[in-house]
Amino acid sequence: MSTQQKTILRDLGNGLVLRRSTPEDADALVEFDTGILGDNEADKQRLAAWIRDLLTRPHPTFSPGNFTIVEERSSGRIVSSLTLIPQTWTYEGVEFGVGRPEVVATHPDFRKRGLVRAQFDEVHKWSADRGDMAQAITGIPYFYRQF
């Protein structure tokens, strides 16, 4: 069984599978996410460096399996992804766990199929399993309220 087969979370139907990332996904995720989210070359370079760091370098709270990937089975290509970054926040001296969804992207040909919703359902479970008190999105608030 391949590493990617071991990371499968569930079959989404229509030839798509939801799985966890591995360090081996770094190049494919960089290519996918920068292609969808990079507005200019400087943005693409910053995003690429961040994704590579998250997946391949030691991090105090993040593990290489913290990205969700929706993959097309027939081609193996990534069609949607997001990540959940575990953080510890403090309010009035009280520390609590927070899951921070980031780097949310879907290929235009695969939008409006519920792929981001399926990934958010999964990362909500991850946060609950860790005992996070909240999830915080620092991106586009009006868009993410639906999730």
Side-chain angles (χ1 to χ4, degrees):
M1 183 180 288
S2 74
T3 301
Q4 289 181 343
Q5 287 173 320
K6 292 178 189 174
T7 64
I8 291 176
L9 298 166
R10 69 178 182 217
D11 189 311
L12 298 175
N14 298 313
L16 302 176
V17 64
L18 175 62
R19 68 177 182 83
R20 289 185 93 118
S21 57
T22 69
E24 292 79 25
D25 291 312
D27 289 339
L29 273 169
V30 164
E31 183 178 336
F32 175 74
D33 286 327
T34 59
I36 302 292
L37 301 172
D39 291 331
N40 55 57
E41 196 54 38
D43 283 348
K44 289 179 181 184
Q45 288 177 5
R46 281 190 294 272
L47 183 57
W50 187 30
I51 292 168
R52 282 189 206 292
D53 281 354
L54 287 171
L55 285 169
T56 64
R57 299 183 72 174
H59 188 279
T61 64
F62 191 89
S63 72
N66 282 28
F67 274 88
T68 56
I69 293 173
V70 176
E71 185 176 271
E72 185 178 52
R73 279 190 186 263
S74 62
S75 65
R77 75 178 173 146
I78 298 170
V79 300
S80 187
S81 71
L82 70 77
T83 190
L84 184 70
I85 302 172
Q87 297 183 327
T88 301
W89 290 12
T90 304
Y91 182 76
E92 293 191 1
V94 177
E95 291 185 351
F96 58 97
V98 173
R100 188 172 142 219
E102 273 288 348
V103 196
V104 181
T106 300
H107 188 282
D109 293 345
F110 291 84
R111 292 180 182 161
K112 298 190 180 200
R113 297 187 188 188
L115 302 180
V116 171
R117 185 174 306 280
Q119 291 172 89
F120 266 97
D121 288 347
E122 187 63 35
V123 299
H124 286 316
K125 291 177 196 171
W126 296 356
S127 277
D129 290 347
R130 276 200 310 269
D132 290 344
M133 298 302 294
Q135 283 189 340
I137 296 174
T138 57
I140 310 165
Y142 66 87
F143 179 76
Y144 293 108
R145 284 188 187 133
Q146 65 186 317
F147 303 108

